[in-house]
Structures are given as C-alpha cells and as structure tokens.
Amino acid sequence: GENVEQHPSTLSVQEGDSAVIKCTYSDSASNYFPWYKQELGKGPQLIIDIRSNVGEKKDQRIAVTLNKTAKHFSLHITETQPEDSAVYFCAAGLTGGGNKLTFGTGTQLKVEL
Amino acid sequence: DVKVTQSSRYLVKRTGEKVFLECVQDMDHENMFWYRQDPGLGLRLIYFSYDVKMKEKGDIPEGYSVSREKKERFSLILESASTNQTSMYLCASRISTGQGTYEQYFGPGTRLTVT
C-alpha cells in the first residue's frame, strides 16, 4: 500500500518568512496529492491539491510542487502570518470515487511575531 | 456549506464498554470515512464506506466495526473499548463522482478517553 512520509514534524518561522513542508510517497500509481490544514479544535480542511499531470499549482500565498520522478511534493507558504499557525497534513492517493487517501504524520507550523 | 457533524466532542468510557461514535453529513455524499488521529502518527484510516450498506477496511480496522444504514450517517463502533483506543476520532465525507474535486470534508472530531 501507499506510504507517505512528511517532514519536518515541527516548523517555526518568523512572520513574513516562507515555510516549506515536504512529503514523499511510495506508490507510483498515486495521482492526487492534497494538503490539509488543521486549526486547533477543528477538523482538517483542504487548502490546495495537485494532480500528477501538473508540476506546480499556486493559490495566493500557498503553492504546491510535485516531482513525480522523485515521488515527492512540497507545500510552500510565502509571507507567513500568525493565522497560518496550524498543523498541516499532506496526503497521496488516487482520484476517482471510492478511493482512499494516505496521510502524512503532520507538521506543526508556528508563525512567531 | 458542507457540514459534517459528530455526535460528541468529548467522550469518556470505561474499558470493556461498547462505544458508538456517530457521524452525519448533509451533502448527499456517497463516500464516508473514519480516521483516528494520534500525535506523531497523523491520520490513520479505520474504515470507509463507498455507499449505503457498503464498507471497506482501512489500515487499522482491528477492534472496530462500522455501520452505514443511511447515506447521511456513518457509525463507528468499538465493540469492547480498550485503553489503546484512547484517541481523537475524525469522520469525513466526500462526493464520489469526481467532478473536479476529491475534497474530503471533516467533522470537528470526537476525543475519546477510555479508562
């Protein structure tokens, strides 16, 4: 089955700096790679996703890059703000109904003033 | 807005008790999922359901069962709770047709403590 590794487990940055979280996956068949943000006391929420036919995707201050050959993908947050402080999860899986995702172990991001 | 609700935010049960965790979604989603979240282990899939009365084991199904009698409701059952089942339990739902989105919508979670 799929195995997803996520690093680092904790990340502390100064407000305004960039943050990068990296994930690797094992199953070359995986073609869908979402990122979820979990704020304290809430369930995870999708912030951005990418499919294997795309190498990069941006949405305002967040971007995701995918290297299919190396089987790794990364989340980039620029101009970090205190409200970016949360736990971030990467995941990998297949598109299509009925397919499951495999999640990484999470990264606790803290943006310090 | 999609809403996924879970019956309890906090639950304390004794070892050996039968525990029911309920999840309800209001968006007519075919797929529903149960995860447990533990520090350092991320989200691990317990069971999922493609549709009503259908279920599939996830990565850690031992000690759990599920029930999906209605499309909007997916129940997780701990037949005989044990202390190693103390965890945060998250329910999620997702539309199956894949019309450009595979987003899973999560509930707020139930923190279960087994003593």
Side-chain angles (χ1 to χ4, degrees):
Chain A
E2 178 65 273
N3 182 50
V4 177
E5 294 189 0
Q6 181 172 348
H7 298 281
S9 56
T10 60
L11 180 60
S12 184
V13 299
Q14 294 292 316
E15 183 180 6
D17 287 351
S18 296
V20 180
I21 303 170
K22 298 182 179 182
C23 289
T24 60
Y25 62 99
S26 61
D27 189 349
S28 56
S30 290
N31 62 359
Y32 176 62
F33 308 93
W35 286 88
Y36 283 79
K37 175 185 180 182
Q38 185 179 29
E39 296 176 340
L40 199 61
K42 297 183 179 180
Q45 186 171 9
L46 180 73
I47 54 171
I48 195 168
D49 57 11
I50 192 169
R51 300 188 201 182
S52 58
N53 58 348
V54 175
E56 183 176 1
K57 185 176 179 181
K58 285 185 179 180
D59 183 3
Q60 299 182 354
R61 294 186 299 107
I62 60 173
V64 57
T65 58
L66 171 66
N67 183 327
K68 285 189 296 181
T69 303
K71 293 207 282 272
H72 66 70
F73 56 113
S74 301
L75 178 71
H76 304 254
I77 306 174
T78 58
E79 300 173 14
T80 53
Q81 300 168 3
E83 52 265 38
D84 295 329
S85 295
V87 179
Y88 291 81
F89 292 98
C90 63
L94 294 169
T95 55
N99 288 307
K100 63 176 187 174
L101 291 173
T102 300
F103 284 83
T105 50
T107 296
Q108 175 74 61
L109 173 64
K110 183 176 180 181
V111 180
E112 298 177 337
L113 298 172
Chain B
D1 271 358
V2 175
K3 196 162 187 181
V4 179
T5 56
Q6 296 183 228
S7 51
S8 305
R9 292 301 301 268
Y10 300 93
L11 208 53
V12 180
K13 295 292 182 180
R14 293 197 178 275
T15 300
E17 279 193 82
K18 190 169 186 176
V19 182
F20 293 86
L21 301 182
E22 305 286 342
C23 176
V24 177
Q25 50 95 2
D26 66 358
M27 283 300 291
D28 203 35
H29 285 172
E30 291 87 0
N31 297 169
M32 295 188 75
F33 307 82
W34 274 107
Y35 295 89
R36 63 177 284 176
Q37 181 177 8
D38 300 288
L41 297 177
L43 303 174
R44 293 180 294 164
L45 183 64
I46 305 170
Y47 265 97
F48 62 110
S49 170
Y50 295 117
D51 212 327
V52 178
K53 295 192 185 294
M54 299 180 74
K55 60 185 178 184
E56 290 284 335
K57 292 181 180 179
D59 299 316
I60 51 164
E62 296 78 20
Y64 303 94
S65 62
V66 290
S67 173
R68 183 114 181 256
E69 295 298 317
K70 292 185 177 181
K71 195 173 189 178
E72 67 271 20
R73 187 180 298 269
F74 192 33
S75 303
L76 180 68
I77 303 155
L78 287 67
E79 296 290 342
S80 178
S82 63
T83 54
N84 63 13
Q85 292 178 310
T86 292
S87 186
M88 171 69 82
Y89 289 87
L90 290 164
C91 175
S93 74
R94 183 187 70 191
I95 197 166
S96 177
T97 59
Q99 294 293 322
T101 177
Y102 303 96
E103 179 174 359
Q104 288 190 14
Y105 295 86
F106 284 86
T110 295
R111 183 163 295 282
L112 173 66
T113 302
V114 182
T115 62

PDB file of all heavy atoms in Angstrom, chain A residues 49-77:
ATOM      1  N   ASP A  49      -4.675  21.322  -3.649  1.00  0.00           N
ATOM      2  CA  ASP A  49      -4.370  19.974  -4.096  1.00  0.00           C
ATOM      3  C   ASP A  49      -3.765  20.037  -5.490  1.00  0.00           C
ATOM      4  O   ASP A  49      -3.856  21.040  -6.194  1.00  0.00           O
ATOM      5  CB  ASP A  49      -5.601  19.068  -4.061  1.00  0.00           C
ATOM      6  CG  ASP A  49      -6.776  19.605  -4.886  1.00  0.00           C
ATOM      7  OD1 ASP A  49      -6.588  20.567  -5.666  1.00  0.00           O
ATOM      8  OD2 ASP A  49      -7.886  19.067  -4.729  1.00  0.00           O
ATOM      9  N   ILE A  50      -3.114  18.958  -5.870  1.00  0.00           N
ATOM     10  CA  ILE A  50      -2.468  18.897  -7.178  1.00  0.00           C
ATOM     11  C   ILE A  50      -2.605  17.492  -7.728  1.00  0.00           C
ATOM     12  O   ILE A  50      -2.601  16.520  -6.976  1.00  0.00           O
ATOM     13  CB  ILE A  50      -0.980  19.333  -7.085  1.00  0.00           C
ATOM     14  CG1 ILE A  50      -0.377  19.565  -8.467  1.00  0.00           C
ATOM     15  CG2 ILE A  50      -0.161  18.321  -6.286  1.00  0.00           C
ATOM     16  CD1 ILE A  50       0.985  20.247  -8.431  1.00  0.00           C
ATOM     17  N   ARG A  51      -2.750  17.404  -9.027  1.00  0.00           N
ATOM     18  CA  ARG A  51      -2.811  16.095  -9.661  1.00  0.00           C
ATOM     19  C   ARG A  51      -1.518  15.838 -10.406  1.00  0.00           C
ATOM     20  O   ARG A  51      -0.757  16.757 -10.694  1.00  0.00           O
ATOM     21  CB  ARG A  51      -4.004  16.033 -10.611  1.00  0.00           C
ATOM     22  CG  ARG A  51      -5.301  16.265  -9.893  1.00  0.00           C
ATOM     23  CD  ARG A  51      -6.484  16.011 -10.789  1.00  0.00           C
ATOM     24  NE  ARG A  51      -7.659  16.693 -10.270  1.00  0.00           N
ATOM     25  CZ  ARG A  51      -8.851  16.622 -10.829  1.00  0.00           C
ATOM     26  NH1 ARG A  51      -9.018  15.926 -11.925  1.00  0.00           N
ATOM     27  NH2 ARG A  51      -9.869  17.264 -10.305  1.00  0.00           N
ATOM     28  N   SER A  52      -1.295  14.606 -10.761  1.00  0.00           N
ATOM     29  CA  SER A  52       0.020  14.212 -11.281  1.00  0.00           C
ATOM     30  C   SER A  52       0.311  14.750 -12.671  1.00  0.00           C
ATOM     31  O   SER A  52       1.444  14.665 -13.141  1.00  0.00           O
ATOM     32  CB  SER A  52       0.159  12.690 -11.279  1.00  0.00           C
ATOM     33  OG  SER A  52      -0.861  12.108 -12.052  1.00  0.00           O
ATOM     34  N   ASN A  53      -0.685  15.311 -13.339  1.00  0.00           N
ATOM     35  CA  ASN A  53      -0.427  15.865 -14.656  1.00  0.00           C
ATOM     36  C   ASN A  53       0.017  17.336 -14.601  1.00  0.00           C
ATOM     37  O   ASN A  53       0.186  17.986 -15.628  1.00  0.00           O
ATOM     38  CB  ASN A  53      -1.667  15.736 -15.549  1.00  0.00           C
ATOM     39  CG  ASN A  53      -2.880  16.440 -14.950  1.00  0.00           C
ATOM     40  OD1 ASN A  53      -2.875  16.832 -13.789  1.00  0.00           O
ATOM     41  ND2 ASN A  53      -3.922  16.588 -15.745  1.00  0.00           N
ATOM     42  N   VAL A  54       0.209  17.820 -13.375  1.00  0.00           N
ATOM     43  CA  VAL A  54       0.611  19.214 -13.163  1.00  0.00           C
ATOM     44  C   VAL A  54       1.838  19.232 -12.254  1.00  0.00           C
ATOM     45  O   VAL A  54       1.908  18.475 -11.295  1.00  0.00           O
ATOM     46  CB  VAL A  54      -0.533  20.019 -12.522  1.00  0.00           C
ATOM     47  CG1 VAL A  54      -0.089  21.431 -12.192  1.00  0.00           C
ATOM     48  CG2 VAL A  54      -1.745  20.023 -13.435  1.00  0.00           C
ATOM     49  N   GLY A  55       2.799  20.104 -12.556  1.00  0.00           N
ATOM     50  CA  GLY A  55       4.005  20.157 -11.742  1.00  0.00           C
ATOM     51  C   GLY A  55       3.955  21.161 -10.609  1.00  0.00           C
ATOM     52  O   GLY A  55       4.656  21.011  -9.612  1.00  0.00           O
ATOM     53  N   GLU A  56       3.090  22.173 -10.768  1.00  0.00           N
ATOM     54  CA  GLU A  56       3.022  23.207  -9.743  1.00  0.00           C
ATOM     55  C   GLU A  56       1.639  23.844  -9.778  1.00  0.00           C
ATOM     56  O   GLU A  56       1.019  23.979 -10.834  1.00  0.00           O
ATOM     57  CB  GLU A  56       4.091  24.277  -9.982  1.00  0.00           C
ATOM     58  CG  GLU A  56       4.141  25.360  -8.914  1.00  0.00           C
ATOM     59  CD  GLU A  56       5.282  26.349  -9.121  1.00  0.00           C
ATOM     60  OE1 GLU A  56       6.031  26.201 -10.110  1.00  0.00           O
ATOM     61  OE2 GLU A  56       5.433  27.242  -8.282  1.00  0.00           O
ATOM     62  N   LYS A  57       1.185  24.262  -8.611  1.00  0.00           N
ATOM     63  CA  LYS A  57      -0.107  24.944  -8.517  1.00  0.00           C
ATOM     64  C   LYS A  57      -0.003  26.000  -7.436  1.00  0.00           C
ATOM     65  O   LYS A  57       0.578  25.758  -6.376  1.00  0.00           O
ATOM     66  CB  LYS A  57      -1.209  23.930  -8.187  1.00  0.00           C
ATOM     67  CG  LYS A  57      -2.614  24.503  -8.169  1.00  0.00           C
ATOM     68  CD  LYS A  57      -3.619  23.382  -7.918  1.00  0.00           C
ATOM     69  CE  LYS A  57      -5.034  23.895  -7.870  1.00  0.00           C
ATOM     70  NZ  LYS A  57      -6.003  22.781  -7.608  1.00  0.00           N
ATOM     71  N   LYS A  58      -0.568  27.178  -7.719  1.00  0.00           N
ATOM     72  CA  LYS A  58      -0.499  28.287  -6.752  1.00  0.00           C
ATOM     73  C   LYS A  58      -1.887  28.784  -6.432  1.00  0.00           C
ATOM     74  O   LYS A  58      -2.791  28.778  -7.279  1.00  0.00           O
ATOM     75  CB  LYS A  58       0.319  29.436  -7.331  1.00  0.00           C
ATOM     76  CG  LYS A  58       1.810  29.208  -7.360  1.00  0.00           C
ATOM     77  CD  LYS A  58       2.518  30.472  -7.851  1.00  0.00           C
ATOM     78  CE  LYS A  58       4.034  30.279  -7.864  1.00  0.00           C
ATOM     79  NZ  LYS A  58       4.741  31.492  -8.343  1.00  0.00           N
ATOM     80  N   ASP A  59      -2.041  29.242  -5.206  1.00  0.00           N
ATOM     81  CA  ASP A  59      -3.273  29.901  -4.791  1.00  0.00           C
ATOM     82  C   ASP A  59      -2.880  30.968  -3.777  1.00  0.00           C
ATOM     83  O   ASP A  59      -2.670  30.689  -2.606  1.00  0.00           O
ATOM     84  CB  ASP A  59      -4.249  28.893  -4.169  1.00  0.00           C
ATOM     85  CG  ASP A  59      -5.571  29.532  -3.797  1.00  0.00           C
ATOM     86  OD1 ASP A  59      -5.762  30.738  -4.068  1.00  0.00           O
ATOM     87  OD2 ASP A  59      -6.427  28.823  -3.232  1.00  0.00           O
ATOM     88  N   GLN A  60      -2.737  32.169  -4.267  1.00  0.00           N
ATOM     89  CA  GLN A  60      -2.333  33.314  -3.441  1.00  0.00           C
ATOM     90  C   GLN A  60      -0.979  33.029  -2.776  1.00  0.00           C
ATOM     91  O   GLN A  60       0.015  32.893  -3.470  1.00  0.00           O
ATOM     92  CB  GLN A  60      -3.431  33.651  -2.434  1.00  0.00           C
ATOM     93  CG  GLN A  60      -4.738  34.043  -3.119  1.00  0.00           C
ATOM     94  CD  GLN A  60      -5.834  34.433  -2.147  1.00  0.00           C
ATOM     95  OE1 GLN A  60      -5.696  34.332  -0.929  1.00  0.00           O
ATOM     96  NE2 GLN A  60      -6.950  34.892  -2.679  1.00  0.00           N
ATOM     97  N   ARG A  61      -0.957  32.903  -1.462  1.00  0.00           N
ATOM     98  CA  ARG A  61       0.333  32.736  -0.778  1.00  0.00           C
ATOM     99  C   ARG A  61       0.785  31.286  -0.657  1.00  0.00           C
ATOM    100  O   ARG A  61       1.854  31.002  -0.124  1.00  0.00           O
ATOM    101  CB  ARG A  61       0.262  33.347   0.626  1.00  0.00           C
ATOM    102  CG  ARG A  61       0.084  34.855   0.661  1.00  0.00           C
ATOM    103  CD  ARG A  61       0.172  35.399   2.077  1.00  0.00           C
ATOM    104  NE  ARG A  61      -0.867  34.861   2.946  1.00  0.00           N
ATOM    105  CZ  ARG A  61      -0.656  33.967   3.913  1.00  0.00           C
ATOM    106  NH1 ARG A  61       0.565  33.490   4.147  1.00  0.00           N
ATOM    107  NH2 ARG A  61      -1.667  33.546   4.656  1.00  0.00           N
ATOM    108  N   ILE A  62      -0.018  30.369  -1.100  1.00  0.00           N
ATOM    109  CA  ILE A  62       0.371  28.970  -0.987  1.00  0.00           C
ATOM    110  C   ILE A  62       0.591  28.364  -2.369  1.00  0.00           C
ATOM    111  O   ILE A  62      -0.057  28.747  -3.340  1.00  0.00           O
ATOM    112  CB  ILE A  62      -0.649  28.133  -0.190  1.00  0.00           C
ATOM    113  CG1 ILE A  62      -2.017  28.172  -0.851  1.00  0.00           C
ATOM    114  CG2 ILE A  62      -0.732  28.615   1.244  1.00  0.00           C
ATOM    115  CD1 ILE A  62      -3.016  27.231  -0.188  1.00  0.00           C
ATOM    116  N   ALA A  63       1.524  27.425  -2.430  1.00  0.00           N
ATOM    117  CA  ALA A  63       1.824  26.738  -3.681  1.00  0.00           C
ATOM    118  C   ALA A  63       2.237  25.318  -3.347  1.00  0.00           C
ATOM    119  O   ALA A  63       2.740  25.036  -2.249  1.00  0.00           O
ATOM    120  CB  ALA A  63       2.948  27.446  -4.430  1.00  0.00           C
ATOM    121  N   VAL A  64       1.988  24.439  -4.281  1.00  0.00           N
ATOM    122  CA  VAL A  64       2.425  23.057  -4.132  1.00  0.00           C
ATOM    123  C   VAL A  64       3.198  22.671  -5.380  1.00  0.00           C
ATOM    124  O   VAL A  64       2.839  23.053  -6.496  1.00  0.00           O
ATOM    125  CB  VAL A  64       1.232  22.111  -3.888  1.00  0.00           C
ATOM    126  CG1 VAL A  64       0.215  22.200  -5.003  1.00  0.00           C
ATOM    127  CG2 VAL A  64       1.692  20.697  -3.666  1.00  0.00           C
ATOM    128  N   THR A  65       4.296  21.962  -5.197  1.00  0.00           N
ATOM    129  CA  THR A  65       5.086  21.455  -6.306  1.00  0.00           C
ATOM    130  C   THR A  65       5.131  19.940  -6.224  1.00  0.00           C
ATOM    131  O   THR A  65       5.087  19.358  -5.131  1.00  0.00           O
ATOM    132  CB  THR A  65       6.519  22.013  -6.270  1.00  0.00           C
ATOM    133  OG1 THR A  65       7.129  21.652  -5.023  1.00  0.00           O
ATOM    134  CG2 THR A  65       6.522  23.526  -6.424  1.00  0.00           C
ATOM    135  N   LEU A  66       5.199  19.304  -7.369  1.00  0.00           N
ATOM    136  CA  LEU A  66       5.206  17.847  -7.447  1.00  0.00           C
ATOM    137  C   LEU A  66       6.326  17.380  -8.367  1.00  0.00           C
ATOM    138  O   LEU A  66       6.457  17.877  -9.494  1.00  0.00           O
ATOM    139  CB  LEU A  66       3.856  17.341  -7.977  1.00  0.00           C
ATOM    140  CG  LEU A  66       3.755  15.862  -8.320  1.00  0.00           C
ATOM    141  CD1 LEU A  66       3.900  15.005  -7.070  1.00  0.00           C
ATOM    142  CD2 LEU A  66       2.442  15.569  -9.033  1.00  0.00           C
ATOM    143  N   ASN A  67       7.120  16.445  -7.883  1.00  0.00           N
ATOM    144  CA  ASN A  67       8.148  15.803  -8.692  1.00  0.00           C
ATOM    145  C   ASN A  67       7.804  14.322  -8.753  1.00  0.00           C
ATOM    146  O   ASN A  67       8.068  13.557  -7.823  1.00  0.00           O
ATOM    147  CB  ASN A  67       9.530  16.026  -8.063  1.00  0.00           C
ATOM    148  CG  ASN A  67      10.662  15.436  -8.893  1.00  0.00           C
ATOM    149  OD1 ASN A  67      10.499  14.415  -9.553  1.00  0.00           O
ATOM    150  ND2 ASN A  67      11.806  16.088  -8.866  1.00  0.00           N
ATOM    151  N   LYS A  68       7.185  13.919  -9.860  1.00  0.00           N
ATOM    152  CA  LYS A  68       6.728  12.526  -9.978  1.00  0.00           C
ATOM    153  C   LYS A  68       7.885  11.546 -10.048  1.00  0.00           C
ATOM    154  O   LYS A  68       7.802  10.429  -9.546  1.00  0.00           O
ATOM    155  CB  LYS A  68       5.856  12.368 -11.224  1.00  0.00           C
ATOM    156  CG  LYS A  68       4.472  12.949 -11.090  1.00  0.00           C
ATOM    157  CD  LYS A  68       3.613  12.547 -12.270  1.00  0.00           C
ATOM    158  CE  LYS A  68       4.146  13.106 -13.564  1.00  0.00           C
ATOM    159  NZ  LYS A  68       3.288  12.737 -14.725  1.00  0.00           N
ATOM    160  N   THR A  69       8.952  11.957 -10.669  1.00  0.00           N
ATOM    161  CA  THR A  69      10.098  11.064 -10.818  1.00  0.00           C
ATOM    162  C   THR A  69      10.685  10.709  -9.462  1.00  0.00           C
ATOM    163  O   THR A  69      10.982   9.553  -9.176  1.00  0.00           O
ATOM    164  CB  THR A  69      11.182  11.717 -11.695  1.00  0.00           C
ATOM    165  OG1 THR A  69      10.601  12.054 -12.952  1.00  0.00           O
ATOM    166  CG2 THR A  69      12.357  10.775 -11.890  1.00  0.00           C
ATOM    167  N   ALA A  70      10.823  11.727  -8.637  1.00  0.00           N
ATOM    168  CA  ALA A  70      11.392  11.515  -7.309  1.00  0.00           C
ATOM    169  C   ALA A  70      10.336  11.105  -6.286  1.00  0.00           C
ATOM    170  O   ALA A  70      10.667  10.760  -5.149  1.00  0.00           O
ATOM    171  CB  ALA A  70      12.108  12.775  -6.846  1.00  0.00           C
ATOM    172  N   LYS A  71       9.090  11.171  -6.666  1.00  0.00           N
ATOM    173  CA  LYS A  71       7.956  10.854  -5.795  1.00  0.00           C
ATOM    174  C   LYS A  71       7.994  11.724  -4.542  1.00  0.00           C
ATOM    175  O   LYS A  71       7.915  11.226  -3.403  1.00  0.00           O
ATOM    176  CB  LYS A  71       7.932   9.364  -5.444  1.00  0.00           C
ATOM    177  CG  LYS A  71       7.645   8.461  -6.642  1.00  0.00           C
ATOM    178  CD  LYS A  71       7.004   7.149  -6.238  1.00  0.00           C
ATOM    179  CE  LYS A  71       8.002   6.176  -5.694  1.00  0.00           C
ATOM    180  NZ  LYS A  71       8.641   5.329  -6.695  1.00  0.00           N
ATOM    181  N   HIS A  72       8.088  13.026  -4.760  1.00  0.00           N
ATOM    182  CA  HIS A  72       7.925  13.913  -3.629  1.00  0.00           C
ATOM    183  C   HIS A  72       7.189  15.182  -4.034  1.00  0.00           C
ATOM    184  O   HIS A  72       7.168  15.575  -5.199  1.00  0.00           O
ATOM    185  CB  HIS A  72       9.243  14.206  -2.903  1.00  0.00           C
ATOM    186  CG  HIS A  72      10.261  14.970  -3.670  1.00  0.00           C
ATOM    187  ND1 HIS A  72      10.145  16.308  -4.004  1.00  0.00           N
ATOM    188  CD2 HIS A  72      11.471  14.597  -4.138  1.00  0.00           C
ATOM    189  CE1 HIS A  72      11.204  16.699  -4.643  1.00  0.00           C
ATOM    190  NE2 HIS A  72      12.022  15.696  -4.755  1.00  0.00           N
ATOM    191  N   PHE A  73       6.533  15.782  -3.058  1.00  0.00           N
ATOM    192  CA  PHE A  73       5.772  17.001  -3.273  1.00  0.00           C
ATOM    193  C   PHE A  73       5.911  17.892  -2.045  1.00  0.00           C
ATOM    194  O   PHE A  73       6.183  17.403  -0.946  1.00  0.00           O
ATOM    195  CB  PHE A  73       4.304  16.708  -3.620  1.00  0.00           C
ATOM    196  CG  PHE A  73       3.546  15.873  -2.621  1.00  0.00           C
ATOM    197  CD1 PHE A  73       2.502  16.425  -1.891  1.00  0.00           C
ATOM    198  CD2 PHE A  73       3.837  14.519  -2.434  1.00  0.00           C
ATOM    199  CE1 PHE A  73       1.769  15.657  -0.996  1.00  0.00           C
ATOM    200  CE2 PHE A  73       3.116  13.758  -1.530  1.00  0.00           C
ATOM    201  CZ  PHE A  73       2.079  14.325  -0.815  1.00  0.00           C
ATOM    202  N   SER A  74       5.770  19.176  -2.277  1.00  0.00           N
ATOM    203  CA  SER A  74       6.048  20.141  -1.210  1.00  0.00           C
ATOM    204  C   SER A  74       4.990  21.226  -1.164  1.00  0.00           C
ATOM    205  O   SER A  74       4.408  21.594  -2.190  1.00  0.00           O
ATOM    206  CB  SER A  74       7.415  20.801  -1.431  1.00  0.00           C
ATOM    207  OG  SER A  74       8.444  19.845  -1.453  1.00  0.00           O
ATOM    208  N   LEU A  75       4.788  21.748   0.033  1.00  0.00           N
ATOM    209  CA  LEU A  75       3.894  22.892   0.254  1.00  0.00           C
ATOM    210  C   LEU A  75       4.755  24.100   0.587  1.00  0.00           C
ATOM    211  O   LEU A  75       5.641  24.016   1.437  1.00  0.00           O
ATOM    212  CB  LEU A  75       2.936  22.604   1.409  1.00  0.00           C
ATOM    213  CG  LEU A  75       1.983  23.742   1.781  1.00  0.00           C
ATOM    214  CD1 LEU A  75       0.919  23.927   0.705  1.00  0.00           C
ATOM    215  CD2 LEU A  75       1.319  23.474   3.137  1.00  0.00           C
ATOM    216  N   HIS A  76       4.487  25.204  -0.101  1.00  0.00           N
ATOM    217  CA  HIS A  76       5.231  26.434   0.124  1.00  0.00           C
ATOM    218  C   HIS A  76       4.244  27.512   0.563  1.00  0.00           C
ATOM    219  O   HIS A  76       3.243  27.759  -0.136  1.00  0.00           O
ATOM    220  CB  HIS A  76       5.928  26.887  -1.157  1.00  0.00           C
ATOM    221  CG  HIS A  76       6.832  25.860  -1.748  1.00  0.00           C
ATOM    222  ND1 HIS A  76       8.213  25.951  -1.684  1.00  0.00           N
ATOM    223  CD2 HIS A  76       6.565  24.711  -2.415  1.00  0.00           C
ATOM    224  CE1 HIS A  76       8.745  24.895  -2.293  1.00  0.00           C
ATOM    225  NE2 HIS A  76       7.771  24.125  -2.735  1.00  0.00           N
ATOM    226  N   ILE A  77       4.526  28.122   1.687  1.00  0.00           N
ATOM    227  CA  ILE A  77       3.711  29.244   2.160  1.00  0.00           C
ATOM    228  C   ILE A  77       4.612  30.467   2.221  1.00  0.00           C
ATOM    229  O   ILE A  77       5.645  30.461   2.908  1.00  0.00           O
ATOM    230  CB  ILE A  77       3.112  28.971   3.563  1.00  0.00           C
ATOM    231  CG1 ILE A  77       2.331  27.649   3.579  1.00  0.00           C
ATOM    232  CG2 ILE A  77       2.202  30.131   3.973  1.00  0.00           C
ATOM    233  CD1 ILE A  77       1.848  27.246   4.951  1.00  0.00           C
TER     234      ILE A  77
END
